[in-house]
PDB file of all heavy atoms in Angstrom:
ATOM      1  N   GLN J  59     125.065 128.145 106.119  1.00  0.00           N
ATOM      2  CA  GLN J  59     124.894 127.447 104.841  1.00  0.00           C
ATOM      3  C   GLN J  59     123.461 126.970 104.628  1.00  0.00           C
ATOM      4  O   GLN J  59     122.905 127.118 103.540  1.00  0.00           O
ATOM      5  CB  GLN J  59     125.802 126.221 104.817  1.00  0.00           C
ATOM      6  CG  GLN J  59     126.987 126.338 103.888  1.00  0.00           C
ATOM      7  CD  GLN J  59     127.806 125.062 103.885  1.00  0.00           C
ATOM      8  OE1 GLN J  59     127.586 124.155 103.094  1.00  0.00           O
ATOM      9  NE2 GLN J  59     128.745 124.971 104.802  1.00  0.00           N
ATOM     10  N   HIS J  60     122.880 126.406 105.689  1.00  0.00           N
ATOM     11  CA  HIS J  60     121.488 125.953 105.585  1.00  0.00           C
ATOM     12  C   HIS J  60     120.557 127.144 105.319  1.00  0.00           C
ATOM     13  O   HIS J  60     119.619 127.040 104.524  1.00  0.00           O
ATOM     14  CB  HIS J  60     121.074 125.226 106.859  1.00  0.00           C
ATOM     15  CG  HIS J  60     121.616 123.826 106.977  1.00  0.00           C
ATOM     16  ND1 HIS J  60     121.420 122.880 106.008  1.00  0.00           N
ATOM     17  CD2 HIS J  60     122.345 123.225 107.942  1.00  0.00           C
ATOM     18  CE1 HIS J  60     122.014 121.743 106.383  1.00  0.00           C
ATOM     19  NE2 HIS J  60     122.581 121.927 107.558  1.00  0.00           N
ATOM     20  N   LEU J  61     120.837 128.259 105.980  1.00  0.00           N
ATOM     21  CA  LEU J  61     120.033 129.458 105.749  1.00  0.00           C
ATOM     22  C   LEU J  61     120.122 129.892 104.289  1.00  0.00           C
ATOM     23  O   LEU J  61     119.123 130.309 103.690  1.00  0.00           O
ATOM     24  CB  LEU J  61     120.498 130.591 106.670  1.00  0.00           C
ATOM     25  CG  LEU J  61     120.077 130.482 108.135  1.00  0.00           C
ATOM     26  CD1 LEU J  61     120.852 131.475 108.996  1.00  0.00           C
ATOM     27  CD2 LEU J  61     118.577 130.709 108.300  1.00  0.00           C
ATOM     28  N   LYS J  62     121.305 129.778 103.743  1.00  0.00           N
ATOM     29  CA  LYS J  62     121.503 130.168 102.346  1.00  0.00           C
ATOM     30  C   LYS J  62     120.658 129.307 101.407  1.00  0.00           C
ATOM     31  O   LYS J  62     120.036 129.819 100.466  1.00  0.00           O
ATOM     32  CB  LYS J  62     122.988 130.031 102.001  1.00  0.00           C
ATOM     33  CG  LYS J  62     123.407 130.814 100.781  1.00  0.00           C
ATOM     34  CD  LYS J  62     124.907 130.667 100.575  1.00  0.00           C
ATOM     35  CE  LYS J  62     125.350 131.231  99.245  1.00  0.00           C
ATOM     36  NZ  LYS J  62     126.791 130.940  98.997  1.00  0.00           N
ATOM     37  N   GLU J  63     120.638 128.019 101.676  1.00  0.00           N
ATOM     38  CA  GLU J  63     119.818 127.107 100.870  1.00  0.00           C
ATOM     39  C   GLU J  63     118.339 127.466 100.967  1.00  0.00           C
ATOM     40  O   GLU J  63     117.623 127.473  99.962  1.00  0.00           O
ATOM     41  CB  GLU J  63     120.010 125.663 101.354  1.00  0.00           C
ATOM     42  CG  GLU J  63     121.299 125.050 100.899  1.00  0.00           C
ATOM     43  CD  GLU J  63     121.072 123.931  99.898  1.00  0.00           C
ATOM     44  OE1 GLU J  63     120.227 124.104  98.992  1.00  0.00           O
ATOM     45  OE2 GLU J  63     121.741 122.886 100.035  1.00  0.00           O
ATOM     46  N   LEU J  64     117.905 127.732 102.185  1.00  0.00           N
ATOM     47  CA  LEU J  64     116.502 128.096 102.392  1.00  0.00           C
ATOM     48  C   LEU J  64     116.170 129.403 101.676  1.00  0.00           C
ATOM     49  O   LEU J  64     115.087 129.562 101.113  1.00  0.00           O
ATOM     50  CB  LEU J  64     116.206 128.213 103.887  1.00  0.00           C
ATOM     51  CG  LEU J  64     116.168 126.896 104.681  1.00  0.00           C
ATOM     52  CD1 LEU J  64     116.251 127.153 106.171  1.00  0.00           C
ATOM     53  CD2 LEU J  64     114.896 126.121 104.349  1.00  0.00           C
ATOM     54  N   LEU J  65     117.129 130.311 101.689  1.00  0.00           N
ATOM     55  CA  LEU J  65     116.963 131.587 100.990  1.00  0.00           C
ATOM     56  C   LEU J  65     116.851 131.379  99.491  1.00  0.00           C
ATOM     57  O   LEU J  65     115.963 131.934  98.836  1.00  0.00           O
ATOM     58  CB  LEU J  65     118.169 132.480 101.264  1.00  0.00           C
ATOM     59  CG  LEU J  65     118.054 133.579 102.312  1.00  0.00           C
ATOM     60  CD1 LEU J  65     119.332 134.382 102.346  1.00  0.00           C
ATOM     61  CD2 LEU J  65     116.865 134.506 102.021  1.00  0.00           C
ATOM     62  N   GLN J  66     117.787 130.572  98.951  1.00  0.00           N
ATOM     63  CA  GLN J  66     117.802 130.337  97.508  1.00  0.00           C
ATOM     64  C   GLN J  66     116.500 129.701  97.035  1.00  0.00           C
ATOM     65  O   GLN J  66     116.021 129.997  95.950  1.00  0.00           O
ATOM     66  CB  GLN J  66     118.993 129.455  97.131  1.00  0.00           C
ATOM     67  CG  GLN J  66     120.284 130.266  97.020  1.00  0.00           C
ATOM     68  CD  GLN J  66     121.523 129.397  96.914  1.00  0.00           C
ATOM     69  OE1 GLN J  66     121.465 128.182  97.103  1.00  0.00           O
ATOM     70  NE2 GLN J  66     122.661 130.010  96.636  1.00  0.00           N
ATOM     71  N   ALA J  67     115.959 128.832  97.883  1.00  0.00           N
ATOM     72  CA  ALA J  67     114.682 128.197  97.546  1.00  0.00           C
ATOM     73  C   ALA J  67     113.514 129.130  97.824  1.00  0.00           C
ATOM     74  O   ALA J  67     112.366 128.770  97.577  1.00  0.00           O
ATOM     75  CB  ALA J  67     114.525 126.914  98.345  1.00  0.00           C
ATOM     76  N   LYS J  68     113.820 130.299  98.372  1.00  0.00           N
ATOM     77  CA  LYS J  68     112.812 131.308  98.722  1.00  0.00           C
ATOM     78  C   LYS J  68     111.817 130.815  99.772  1.00  0.00           C
ATOM     79  O   LYS J  68     110.706 131.356  99.861  1.00  0.00           O
ATOM     80  CB  LYS J  68     112.067 131.799  97.467  1.00  0.00           C
ATOM     81  CG  LYS J  68     113.007 132.515  96.507  1.00  0.00           C
ATOM     82  CD  LYS J  68     112.264 133.325  95.483  1.00  0.00           C
ATOM     83  CE  LYS J  68     113.247 134.047  94.547  1.00  0.00           C
ATOM     84  NZ  LYS J  68     112.624 134.560  93.330  1.00  0.00           N
ATOM     85  N   LEU J  69     112.233 129.811 100.540  1.00  0.00           N
ATOM     86  CA  LEU J  69     111.369 129.369 101.637  1.00  0.00           C
ATOM     87  C   LEU J  69     111.443 130.364 102.791  1.00  0.00           C
ATOM     88  O   LEU J  69     110.541 130.441 103.610  1.00  0.00           O
ATOM     89  CB  LEU J  69     111.773 127.969 102.116  1.00  0.00           C
ATOM     90  CG  LEU J  69     111.334 126.836 101.197  1.00  0.00           C
ATOM     91  CD1 LEU J  69     112.037 125.538 101.541  1.00  0.00           C
ATOM     92  CD2 LEU J  69     109.822 126.645 101.278  1.00  0.00           C
ATOM     93  N   ILE J  70     112.533 131.110 102.857  1.00  0.00           N
ATOM     94  CA  ILE J  70     112.651 132.193 103.829  1.00  0.00           C
ATOM     95  C   ILE J  70     113.094 133.451 103.090  1.00  0.00           C
ATOM     96  O   ILE J  70     113.546 133.384 101.940  1.00  0.00           O
ATOM     97  CB  ILE J  70     113.663 131.875 104.958  1.00  0.00           C
ATOM     98  CG1 ILE J  70     115.089 131.714 104.406  1.00  0.00           C
ATOM     99  CG2 ILE J  70     113.256 130.618 105.697  1.00  0.00           C
ATOM    100  CD1 ILE J  70     116.138 131.500 105.472  1.00  0.00           C
ATOM    101  N   GLN J  71     112.918 134.589 103.757  1.00  0.00           N
ATOM    102  CA  GLN J  71     113.451 135.812 103.194  1.00  0.00           C
ATOM    103  C   GLN J  71     114.289 136.477 104.266  1.00  0.00           C
ATOM    104  O   GLN J  71     114.101 136.246 105.458  1.00  0.00           O
ATOM    105  CB  GLN J  71     112.343 136.735 102.710  1.00  0.00           C
ATOM    106  CG  GLN J  71     111.321 137.077 103.778  1.00  0.00           C
ATOM    107  CD  GLN J  71     110.100 137.739 103.169  1.00  0.00           C
ATOM    108  OE1 GLN J  71     108.983 137.489 103.584  1.00  0.00           O
ATOM    109  NE2 GLN J  71     110.307 138.602 102.193  1.00  0.00           N
TER     110      GLN J  71
END
Side-chain angles (χ1 to χ4, degrees):
Chain J
Q59 252 182 91
H60 284 305
L61 284 167
K62 199 177 170 186
E63 283 248 43
L64 289 164
L65 260 184
Q66 279 169 350
K68 296 196 179 165
L69 284 166
I70 64 176
Q71 56 192 142

